[in-house]
Amino acid sequence: MKSAFEVKSARLDALAIQLHTDNLVALDGALKQRISQHQELNGMPFLLDVQDFERPERLDIGSVAALFARHGLQIVGLRHNDES
């Protein structure tokens, strides 16, 4: 029987967005401004760097990712030195 999936190595070229706040209103305004200046970012994959947060597990990552998606930015991964 053939396996339902395979694990393969992949190279991912992505920029990181270092998040300094989880305030969605502030992020929305900053994203509108940045996207209007750099439309080439639309549709690009990004890592969400949450190193500034001592307790990253408390972030509402779903809402943050949804906000980025509304602006055409794809969050494909998280980066933080805390494994949680």
Side-chain angles (χ1 to χ4, degrees):
M1 184 167 133
K2 188 173 181 175
S3 174
F5 66 90
E6 294 179 33
V7 177
K8 295 186 174 198
S9 65
R11 182 174 165 219
L12 176 66
D13 289 327
L15 297 172
I17 295 176
Q18 188 171 11
L19 200 63
H20 299 297
T21 182
D22 61 350
N23 180 312
L24 296 178
V25 173
L27 286 171
D28 187 48
L31 284 167
K32 285 177 185 173
Q33 180 182 6
R34 186 62 60 99
I35 295 300
S36 71
Q37 295 171 347
H38 301 283
Q39 294 185 1
E40 68 275 9
L41 298 176
N42 191 13
M44 290 184 66
F46 288 91
L47 293 176
L48 189 60
D49 185 331
V50 294
Q51 297 288 338
D52 282 358
F53 296 88
E54 287 184 35
R55 305 287 306 266
E57 70 277 7
R58 292 185 177 178
L59 290 173
D60 184 354
I61 297 297
S63 293
V64 172
L67 176 63
F68 277 80
R70 285 195 299 273
H71 288 280
L73 305 178
Q74 300 175 31
I75 301 300
V76 297
L78 293 173
R79 180 166 57 187
H80 194 281
N81 60 0
D82 182 345
E83 291 181 14
S84 65

